[in-house]
C-alpha cells in the first residue's frame, strides 16, 4: 500500500476515485448531475489536480459508484492523508481564500491587491480601509460567538455552540482508562402539543457559524495525548437516511441541508436526530509511536420521553444504501453497550500518523429522547488514557419518532410537503 503522504497521498486518492468511476460505468456527466456539482470538478478530483474540501463529497461519489464498505474506508483514509498534506503545503505559503468547494451563495469575495507600491495618499487610504475591515471582522466574531438561542428547540439553547462544532470533538484524557459511570439526569419537560400547531419562533435561513478547531486530547502524565479524534456528527448513508425532529412548523424551517451543512442546520433550528444518528470518528496518531485503541464505550447522560416535534427528511427518492461495517448502539437498553454489525471487527485497533482509522457508530432509539457521548481508551508505550467524544462540548442527542407529522422537500420544489401517513 502506498504510504499516502504528500503528493503520493493525493495521487492515491485520485486513483481510487478513478477506479471506482471506471468500474461503475457511469459518465462524469451522470455523476455530476447526481452529486449536484460540475463535470470539470469531478475531472479534477479523479486526475489529482484538486481535492474535495470535505470527505462527504467523495463518500457520496463512492456510494454512487457502488463502493464496498472496505473501499469507502480506504477512500476516507487516503483523503485524510492527502488533506493533511494540503494543510502542510498551505502553511508553507501565504494564506489564500478558497471558494471552489462552496456553493455560489456562500463563496466569499477575493480581495486582490493591485499595486504593491501605492502612492502616499493611496497608502493612507488603504490603511484606513484595512483598519475598518479589521474592526468589522472582530465585531462579527464577537456577535457570532455570543449565543442567540436559535430555533427555540426546547433544551437546545446552546445551538451556536453546536454550530461552531461542525467537526469538533471535545476530548479529555486521564491516566486512568476506566470511566466513572454517571447517572442519567432527567430531561426537561417535553411539550405534549403537536409541534406543527405550536411552532416555536425560528428563521428560515440558518446563520453562518464560526468554525471551531478540533480540540487535541491532553494527558495528565507527560504532555499531550498521541492521537486526535475528528467527528462528523451527522453522517448521511444517503440523504434519505437522515431525519431531524424540529419544534417548528414547515413554514419556519428552511430547505434540507447536505451533510456538510447538517451541524449548522441542526443548530439553527434546534434540531435533534430522529430515530437514529450515525457518527463518524477519524482517529489518527500525532507522532511516530503507534497508538493502540483498546475500546469504545457509550455513556447515557440523560433519557426521557420522545420529543413531540415534527419530522423533516433531508432527502427524497433515494435508492438502497450500502450496508457498511459499523458499531451499533441500542439506546433503549437499560445499560447501552457498543456492539459490532455488518462484519465490523471489534477492538483493539492500532493507529499512527500515516495510518488512521475511521469508525462509524450508529445509535438508535424507538422509545426515548436520549443524550449520550462516547469514550475511547488508548495506550502507547507506558502511557494510557481515555478520550471523551461528543458533539462539540455537548452530548449527542437522538430522539424516537413516535407517530410524529413528517415532511419531505421534493427535488426541484420550494416548500415542505406533508408526508403521506405522516
Amino acid at each position: 500500500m502506498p504510504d499516502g503522504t504528500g503528493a503520493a497521498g493525493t495521487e492515491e486518492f485520485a486513483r481510487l476515485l478513478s477506479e471506482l468511476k471506471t468500474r461503475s460505468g457511469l459518465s462524469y456527466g451522470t455523476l455530476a448531475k447526481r452529486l449536484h456539482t460540475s463535470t470539470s470538478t469531478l475531472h479534477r478530483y479523479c486526475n489529482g489536480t484538486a481535492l474535495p474540501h470535505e470527505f462527504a463529497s467523495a463518500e457520496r461519489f463512492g456510494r454512487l459508484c457502488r463502493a464496498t464498505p472496505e473501499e469507502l474506508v480506504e477512500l476516507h483514509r487516503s483523503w485524510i492523508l492527502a488533506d493533511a498534506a494540503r494543510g502542510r503545503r498551505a502553511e508553507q505559503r501565504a494564506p489564500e481564500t478558497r471558494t471552489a468547494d462552496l456553493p455560489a451563495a456562500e463563496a466569499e469575495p477575493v480581495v486582490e491587491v493591485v499595486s504593491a507600491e501605492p502612492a502616499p495618499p493611496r497608502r493612507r487610504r488603504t490603511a484606513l480601509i484595512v483598519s475598518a475591515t479589521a474592526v468589522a471582522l472582530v465585531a462579527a466574531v464577537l456577535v457570532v460567538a455570543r449565543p442567540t438561542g436559535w430555533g427555540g428547540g426546547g433544551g437546545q439553547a446552546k445551538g451556536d455552540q453546536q454550530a461552531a462544532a461542525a467537526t469538533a470533538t471535545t476530548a479529555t484524557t486521564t491516566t486512568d482508562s476506566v470511566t466513572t459511570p454517571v447517572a442519567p439526569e432527567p430531561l426537561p419537560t417535553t411539550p405534549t402539543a403537536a409541534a406543527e400547531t405550536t411552532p416555536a419562533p425560528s428563521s428560515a435561513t440558518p446563520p453562518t457559524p464560526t468554525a471551531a478547531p478540533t480540540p487535541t486530547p491532553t494527558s495528565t502524565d507527560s504532555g499531550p495525548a498521541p492521537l486526535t479524534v475528528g467527528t462528523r456528527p451527522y453522517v448521511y448513508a444517503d440523504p434519505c437516511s437522515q431525519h431531524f425532529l424540529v419544534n417548528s412548523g414547515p413554514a419556519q424551517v428552511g430547505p434540507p441541508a447536505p451533510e456538510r451543512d447538517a451541524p449548522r442546520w441542526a443548530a439553527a433550528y434546534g434540531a435533534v436526530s430522529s430515530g437514529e444518528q450515525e457518527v463518524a470518528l477519524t482517529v489518527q496518531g500525532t507522532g511516530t509511536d503507534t497508538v493502540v485503541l483498546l475500546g469504545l464505550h457509550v455513556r447515557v447522560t440523560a433519557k426521557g420521553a420522545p420529543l413531540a416535534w415534527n419530522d423533516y427528511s433531508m432527502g427524497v427518492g433515494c435508492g438502497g444504501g450500502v450496508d457498511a461495517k459499523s458499531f451499533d448502539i441500542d439506546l433503549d437498553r437499560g445499560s447501552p453497550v457498543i456492539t459490532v454489525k455488518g462484519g465490523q471487527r471489534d477492538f483493539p485497533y492500532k493507529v499512527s500518523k500515516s495510518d488512521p482509522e475511521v469508525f462509524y457508530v450508529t445509535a438508535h432509539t424507538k422509545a426515548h429522547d436520549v443524550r449520550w457521548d462516547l469514550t475511547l481508551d488508548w495506550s502507547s508505550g507506558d502511557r494510557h488514557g481515555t478520550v471523551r467524544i461528543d458533539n462539540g462540548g455537548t452530548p449527542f442527542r437522538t430522539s424516537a419518532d413516535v407517530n410524529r407529522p413528517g415532511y419531505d422537500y421534493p427535488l426541484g420544489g420550494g416548500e415542505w410537503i406533508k408526508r403521506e401517513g405522516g
Side-chain angles (χ1 to χ4, degrees), residues 170 174 176-182 229 279 281 283 292-301 327-331 335-340 346-348 359 361-363 371-379 385-390 396:
T170 297
T174 64
D176 186 358
S177 60
V178 178
T179 302
T180 302
V182 177
V229 182
V279 177
L281 310 176
V283 186
V292 179
L293 308 180
L294 302 173
L296 187 65
H297 312 282
V298 60
R299 183 185 70 142
V300 172
T301 63
F327 294 94
D328 187 76
I329 305 173
D330 182 357
L331 295 173
S335 299
V337 295
I338 293 180
T339 59
V340 296
D346 206 349
F347 285 85
F359 304 112
V361 180
T362 302
R371 300 176 197 245
W372 55 280
D373 59 21
L374 301 168
T375 55
L376 176 64
D377 299 334
W378 62 269
S379 69
T386 297
V387 175
R388 177 152 295 167
I389 304 166
D390 56 27
F396 302 108

Side-chain angles (χ1 to χ4, degrees), residues 41-327:
T41 295
L42 295 184
H43 271 290
R44 291 196 297 271
Y45 291 164
C46 290
N47 63 28
T49 57
L51 186 69
H53 181 52
E54 300 285 349
F55 175 68
S57 302
E59 183 177 32
R60 290 193 293 272
F61 181 101
R63 292 184 185 277
L64 282 175
C65 294
R66 300 292 182 183
T68 65
E70 292 79 7
E71 288 171 333
L72 288 175
V73 170
E74 187 59 32
L75 187 67
H76 197 173
R77 179 182 287 110
S78 64
W79 178 87
I80 292 168
L81 297 173
D83 187 59
R86 171 171 59 185
R88 288 193 296 271
R89 291 193 298 269
E91 292 176 356
Q92 296 171 359
R93 64 176 183 265
E96 61 184 25
T97 301
R98 175 172 56 196
T99 61
D101 292 319
L102 292 175
E106 298 182 13
E108 298 180 1
V110 178
V111 179
E112 180 178 359
V113 178
V114 178
S115 174
E117 297 292 336
R122 181 175 181 178
R123 181 184 294 114
R124 183 172 183 274
R125 181 183 179 186
T126 302
L128 290 174
I129 293 174
V130 170
S131 298
T133 303
V135 171
L137 287 174
V138 171
V141 170
L142 290 176
V143 169
V144 172
R146 183 176 181 179
T148 58
W150 272 87
Q156 294 285 40
K158 296 183 178 180
D160 287 82
Q161 295 176 6
Q162 293 180 347
T167 55
T169 299
T170 297
T172 57
T173 306
T174 64
T175 54
D176 186 358
S177 60
V178 178
T179 302
T180 302
V182 177
E185 60 187 42
L187 286 171
T189 302
T190 302
T192 56
E196 64 174 345
T197 59
T198 57
S202 185
S203 170
T205 304
T208 302
T210 302
T214 301
T216 300
T218 57
S219 175
T220 57
D221 52 1
S222 58
L227 76 161
T228 60
V229 182
T231 303
R232 289 161 53 204
Y234 307 107
V235 174
Y236 293 9
D238 57 59
C240 302
S241 69
Q242 181 63 50
H243 288 237
F244 284 108
L245 293 172
V246 180
N247 191 23
S248 295
Q252 285 76 44
V253 178
E259 181 181 323
R260 70 175 182 178
D261 295 330
R264 182 179 68 180
W265 194 95
Y269 299 115
V272 174
S273 287
S274 176
E276 74 172 30
Q277 181 171 0
E278 184 173 3
V279 177
L281 310 176
T282 302
V283 186
Q284 185 174 19
T286 58
T288 57
D289 295 335
T290 296
V291 181
V292 179
L293 308 180
L294 302 173
L296 187 65
H297 312 282
V298 60
R299 183 185 70 142
V300 172
T301 63
K303 181 181 289 188
L307 298 172
W309 296 355
N310 293 329
D311 179 282
Y312 294 90
S313 173
M314 295 296 101
V316 294
C318 304
V322 177
D323 291 329
K325 295 180 179 180
S326 65
F327 294 94

